Amino acid sequence: MTIDWAATQVYNTIMCVAAGVGLLLILRFLKRLRQNKIGQLEGWAMGFGVLGFILVLTGAHMSLTWPLAEIGFPFDDIIFGEPSLAFGVLLFAAAILLWRKSNVYMKQGINPKDRKAVSEQLKGDLPDLMKPMSYFGAAMGLALIAIGIAGVTYQLFAAPPQEPISGAFAEYPMVEAIFISALYALTGIGAFLFTFTLKLKPAKWIIRVSYSCMYVSGLLLTAFGIMNYFTHIGLIVNTM
C-alpha cells in the first residue's frame, strides 16, 4: 500500500492525547475541589483552554474537510473529528467560566491564595454553571456509545499491516475493533453519568462509576495517543 501523504492530514495523535489528558484534568480538578485545594483559577482555566483549543481546531478541521477519506477511511472523520470538536468546545467553555469566576471572586475580595475560601465558593457555584453544558455532554456520551456499537458491528478501527504494533492484528480486525469500541463506550458512559453528578446530592454509585469510567478511559486514551506517535510515523514511513 502506498499513500500520498502530501495530500493527506492525519493528526488524531494529538487529538487522542488532548482528549485523554482533558478527562484526567477534569477529575484532578474535581478531586482538588473536594479537598478545598483550588486556589488560582486562572491556571486551571488555561489548562482547560489549551486542550480545548487543540481539540476545537483539529476536530473542526476533520469534521468539515474529511481528510481521512483520502486514505479510504471516511467514517473515521466522524468517529474522531466530531467527538473531539464537541469535547473541545466544552473544555473551552469551562475555561471561560473559570476565568470569569476568578475575576468575580477577586472583586468580591476573595484572596486567590485562600484555597479553602475559593473552593467553598466554587462548590456552590459550579453545579449551576456546569448544568446547562452537561446536557450536551450527556448527549455526546450516548453518541460515543453508539460509535462503540458501530465499531464492533462493522469491525472498524483495524490498523493496516504496514502500521507497527497495531498492524500485527491486521488479520484479526475484531481485536482492535473491540478494544477501541470499548474505549469509546467507556468514555460515553462516564460522560453520560457525569451529568447526574451535578445534582445537589448525587448517588454515590453514580459518582463512582462516572469517575472510574473517565479515569480509565483518560489513561488509555493518553497512552494510546502517545503510542500512536510511534505507530503513525512508522505507517507513514512504510507507505511513502
Side-chain angles (χ1 to χ4, degrees), residues 13-26:
T13 42
I14 194 169
M15 295 167 75
C16 191
V17 171
V21 173
L23 291 172
L24 296 176
L25 192 63
I26 290 171

Side-chain angles (χ1 to χ4, degrees), residues 49-93:
V50 167
L51 298 173
F53 176 77
I54 292 172
L55 291 171
V56 168
L57 183 65
T58 55
H61 182 266
M62 184 174 284
S63 299
L64 296 174
T65 65
W66 283 36
L68 297 179
E70 297 291 334
I71 56 175
F73 302 104
F75 44 81
D76 280 344
D77 292 305
I78 298 174
I79 291 171
F80 298 138
E82 294 187 19
S84 295
L85 174 58
F87 190 33
V89 171
L90 290 172
L91 287 175
F92 212 69

Side-chain angles (χ1 to χ4, degrees), residues 16-17 19-21 23-24 179-180 182-184 186-187 213-228:
C16 191
V17 171
V21 173
L23 291 172
L24 296 176
F179 173 73
I180 301 297
L183 184 56
Y184 267 87
L186 195 66
T187 308
C213 288
M214 291 172 64
Y215 181 72
V216 173
S217 58
L219 284 178
L220 290 176
L221 279 170
T222 304
F224 194 68
I226 292 171
M227 183 190 75
N228 281 345

